[in-house]
Amino acid sequence: MAERSQEVLELGPVPLLAWLPGETLFSLCSRQHGFWGHRHAWSTASLLFGGRHAGTQHDLPNQLDEFAERTHDALGTADEVAERRTLLRYYRPFLSPSELGEAIVAMRSKSVAHLKFKLGLLTSRFRANHPLKACPACIEDDTNEYGWAYWHLKHQYPGVWVCLRHRTVLLESRMKSSGVGRFLWTLPSHKDLVDEVEGLTDLSSDRLRSLAELIVELVDAEEDPGWLKAEKMLPGLLVAVAERGWRTANGNLRLKPMAADFLNYCQELKSLREFAGLPQTIDEAELQLGRLLRPLRSGTHPLRLLTIAHWLIGGASALRELVIQCGNRLTIIEPEAAKRTHASAHNDAKRREIVSRVRNGEALSTIARRIGIDVTTAKAWAAQAGIASPRRASVIKPSILVSLKADLGSGIDKGQAASRHGISISSVNRVLRTEVGLAHEWRTARETSARSKARGAWEELLVLHGHQGSKFMRTADPAVYAWLYRNDLSWLRDHSPPRLPASPASPTSRLAWDERDHVLKAAVDIAVLELWQSIGDRPLHLWQIYQRIPELKAKLTHLNRMPLTSSALELALARSERRRSDK
């Protein structure tokens, strides 16, 4: 092992390790457990937190007051540790100061039993049992530099599955989140890590990396608590929705085309269990978007907000700019038709006044100041009336503008256009709004491209699976089917396979269980063989088997439907018992 380079704090007779960069509290305590050489986890928990099981939660631990008192605040006060060294840091931007205070009070006390419920994690359809994650390259680097592999807080954020330092996919630990080793201290180890995202496409890898960048930048921003609460993000999200043409002049949402696009985005994330709460069907996509993009009556999981923001806006800087710019100035969709009608009529009157004055030769900036609206809005309204506005060369160089307009006219993605020309997405949006006819040209090109892509994908499915019928094809690629159904129905009907003749009922559920039985039985055999090699003469336990096969634990109550798996487990455990009795 490399020479340890981290600082050791001497507080009386008990030496304490100092924090490593970006380390979690659970990681520090796990290192401390190894440093002290305690045989039992409860010994370390009792010394640091004053209880046999206290503080052993790897995500939102309890008894932080006791920890701070016993370490004499040398590692931070209870509040500082909660906000900077636990997963509360991830939830902090989405909690009001009072909600954050209540969470810290719970973590400082003896019990955090109801904290996850209060944070809305148990009812969110996302994982409430946060998995421990580690980067294989970080394990090597940290061991060489510090003498320890340790848990990085940024890697534990929900939605983060890529190490931004090494650009590698994170691996998930078999410990803690499945209930195995619930009260133990543990550090990253290659033998305990499994790949949860095998077989990623290039698009999926890029999407996971980009989403991780967004999450880390937003969560680690030094902003006040609650700056990313849903009601503060909503105006910015609605601006992005409107810019994509998915919001009417009256503020209504065009849910059908929007849901098809969002479902297509979600397809690249569905291989991860952590994203199980995202929509799986077009109806679920409509329901989730309709709920989130209207004033919320209850909270929502931050990961749902972040994925929708990533889908609509892309980068963290663009999202921050929108949140800050919009503030409370935007009118959120109001339920009362009278209010919508009044607002629409008021805007129409302003729009007519601007067009009339511009045609009479007045400057747009002067008109905007008199009427009390933003100059960019005035330019956008003028552009919709076919009136071009003069552009300041200092904002976007003419050569860049010409190239940018050509790219946008071809339907290029706004984020890609911003990256290619070295400008912000807001600048791209401004050009789209203020150049006469460009927004319509961009939307038409994107729709044409999307139609061509969807038709091509459906035709490929038709060749490969047409003989299996429309239902199978819809299941094979639901996003493509949903897009064509919403946007190109007549073509879809003309290019659907003939209806298959009805077949007699078959025991499909039985076949499905038989297939699962064969797969799990083979996995159990392999896991048992590996365990015998690693544990030697020690007894084999059921938890050790399902620790290596996480999906087995959920099937234990259905072993009566999987006789092969049941027999393999009984045989392995019986053999272990015989070995113990023979000693």
Side-chain angles (χ1 to χ4, degrees):
M1 180 180 288
E3 181 182 354
R4 294 178 180 176
S5 60
Q6 77 281 354
E7 181 184 357
V8 177
L9 308 175
E10 295 290 345
L11 293 176
V14 182
L16 289 175
L17 299 177
W19 296 109
L20 295 178
E23 186 175 26
T24 68
L25 174 62
F26 176 77
S27 176
L28 175 70
C29 296
S30 296
R31 288 196 302 116
Q32 194 69 58
H33 177 69
F35 183 73
W36 283 338
H38 288 158
R39 181 179 178 184
H40 300 293
W42 58 262
S43 300
T44 300
S46 298
L47 274 175
L48 289 176
F49 295 93
R52 292 173 66 92
H53 296 153
T56 54
Q57 302 92 337
H58 64 284
D59 47 8
L60 300 166
N62 65 334
Q63 296 208 184
L64 296 187
D65 266 349
E66 195 74 26
F67 175 82
E69 182 178 344
R70 287 167 179 257
T71 57
H72 307 296
D73 290 343
L75 296 168
T77 65
D79 288 16
E80 290 170 345
V81 171
E83 289 193 55
R84 298 177 186 175
R85 300 291 179 171
T86 75
L87 267 188
L88 189 62
R89 182 176 183 86
Y90 174 83
Y91 294 101
R92 181 181 181 274
F94 305 91
L95 300 174
S96 66
S98 61
E99 291 169 334
L100 177 64
E102 290 176 6
I104 292 176
V105 167
M107 294 172 68
R108 292 172 60 173
S109 69
K110 290 187 177 181
S111 175
V112 288
H114 303 294
L115 179 56
K116 289 186 177 180
F117 176 77
K118 290 180 179 179
L119 293 177
L121 307 187
L122 301 181
T123 56
S124 67
R125 293 181 60 197
F126 290 102
R127 295 178 71 172
N129 53 335
H130 305 103
L132 279 167
K133 296 172 285 185
C135 164
C138 283
I139 291 178
E140 301 300 326
D141 288 354
D142 295 340
T143 303
N144 291 332
E145 185 171 355
Y146 303 110
W148 303 89
Y150 68 96
W151 302 110
H152 293 251
L153 182 58
K154 292 178 181 179
H155 292 168
Q156 314 314 316
Y157 293 161
V160 172
W161 283 92
V162 173
C163 172
L164 298 181
R165 178 183 175 189
H166 295 102
R167 302 289 172 131
T168 54
V169 173
L170 299 177
L171 304 183
E172 180 177 336
S173 173
R174 295 189 180 102
M175 304 296 285
K176 304 296 279 189
S177 64
S178 63
V180 175
R182 180 181 175 190
F183 302 116
L184 299 183
W185 304 109
T186 184
L187 290 169
S189 169
H190 289 294
K191 65 182 178 63
D192 293 327
L193 298 174
V194 292
D195 190 349
E196 281 293 309
V197 287
E198 291 180 309
L200 284 178
T201 64
D202 291 341
L203 179 57
S204 297
S205 299
D206 289 343
R207 187 153 293 172
L208 282 175
R209 177 188 51 76
S210 176
L211 178 59
E213 290 173 347
L214 172 86
I215 292 172
V216 169
E217 186 173 339
L218 291 177
V219 170
D220 288 350
E222 294 299 328
E223 302 284 353
D224 293 332
W227 78 281
L228 286 179
K229 282 180 71 69
E231 57 266 28
K232 295 188 177 181
M233 287 180 65
L234 181 55
L237 296 180
L238 290 176
V239 168
V241 166
E243 287 172 349
R244 292 204 184 190
W246 291 331
R247 195 179 180 200
T248 68
N250 289 335
N252 294 319
L253 299 174
R254 304 184 194 274
L255 279 175
K256 291 183 178 180
M258 182 170 24
D261 194 87
F262 183 51
L263 184 63
N264 186 50
Y265 166 90
C266 294
Q267 296 303 310
E268 300 301 328
L269 303 174
K270 65 180 182 181
S271 60
L272 280 160
R273 284 183 294 159
E274 187 161 70
F275 293 100
L278 294 178
Q280 304 295 320
T281 66
I282 194 73
D283 291 336
E284 287 183 10
E286 282 193 38
L287 184 65
Q288 290 191 21
L289 290 173
R291 178 180 178 273
L292 191 65
L293 295 174
R294 295 187 177 101
L296 291 171
R297 294 179 177 84
S298 60
T300 189
H301 195 290
L303 191 52
R304 198 181 303 282
L305 278 170
L306 291 169
T307 49
I308 289 181
H310 183 245
W311 162 62
L312 282 173
I313 300 169
S317 57
L319 176 61
R320 288 185 66 172
E321 187 177 342
L322 269 179
V323 170
I324 293 169
Q325 280 183 353
C326 293
N328 296 318
R329 292 186 291 113
L330 278 182
T331 302
I332 297 174
I333 301 174
E334 296 172 328
E336 300 90 345
K339 288 185 179 180
R340 288 202 304 267
T341 304
H342 174 75
S344 177
H346 187 60
N347 284 339
D348 286 344
K350 287 184 176 181
R351 195 185 304 248
R352 286 193 298 270
E353 183 177 355
I354 283 176
V355 171
S356 173
R357 290 190 174 194
V358 169
R359 285 176 175 160
N360 288 334
E362 288 189 53
L364 261 176
S365 56
T366 304
I367 302 170
R369 279 196 301 271
R370 287 180 180 174
I371 295 178
I373 63 170
D374 188 76
V375 176
T376 304
T377 303
K379 289 182 178 180
W381 286 353
Q384 291 167 8
I387 302 172
S389 307
R391 183 176 297 279
R392 290 180 295 173
S394 59
V395 178
I396 300 179
K397 294 180 180 179
S399 58
I400 294 178
L401 180 61
V402 170
S403 178
L404 174 64
K405 287 167 64 176
D407 282 345
L408 291 173
S410 68
I412 189 174
D413 179 76
K414 289 191 285 188
Q416 189 179 350
S419 176
R420 178 180 295 181
H421 297 285
I423 59 178
S424 67
I425 291 183
S426 340
S427 298
V428 174
N429 289 331
R430 188 167 60 250
V431 171
L432 276 173
R433 289 197 303 267
T434 56
E435 290 293 330
V436 177
L438 184 57
H440 174 73
E441 188 180 348
W442 178 74
R443 283 194 294 269
T444 302
R446 288 186 67 79
E447 185 177 346
T448 302
S449 174
R451 180 180 290 107
S452 175
K453 196 176 297 183
R455 285 182 176 183
W458 186 258
E459 286 172 342
E460 185 176 339
L461 284 174
L462 198 58
V463 172
L464 295 173
H465 306 296
H467 63 285
Q468 293 176 278
S470 292
K471 185 174 181 180
F472 182 88
M473 291 176 62
R474 291 200 300 269
T475 307
D477 199 334
V480 167
Y481 174 80
W483 194 96
L484 290 170
Y485 184 84
R486 304 295 184 187
N487 301 282
D488 207 0
L489 183 57
S490 60
W491 183 91
L492 179 63
R493 286 173 175 164
D494 291 339
H495 293 78
S496 291
R499 187 182 298 272
L500 294 176
S503 57
S506 60
T508 54
S509 61
R510 179 70 257 168
L511 291 175
W513 279 106
D514 285 346
E515 184 178 346
R516 289 179 195 168
D517 193 14
H518 282 284
V519 172
L520 276 177
K521 190 265 183 188
V524 167
D525 288 341
I526 294 171
V528 168
L529 184 60
E530 292 175 347
L531 284 166
W532 284 129
Q533 293 172 348
S534 62
I535 67 176
D537 294 332
R538 286 176 291 169
L540 177 66
H541 301 285
L542 178 61
W543 66 264
Q544 292 172 304
I545 300 175
Y546 67 68
Q547 181 187 44
R548 289 180 175 254
I549 314 170
E551 62 270 26
L552 174 62
K553 187 177 181 181
K555 302 294 188 299
L556 292 178
T557 56
H558 301 289
L559 286 179
N560 61 316
R561 307 183 73 172
M562 297 186 292
L564 298 178
T565 304
S566 180
S567 297
L569 289 171
E570 290 175 3
L571 182 63
L573 297 174
R575 181 183 173 192
S576 175
E577 189 63 32
R578 284 197 302 272
R579 291 175 65 176
R580 291 180 63 188
S581 60
D582 290 344
K583 287 185 177 181

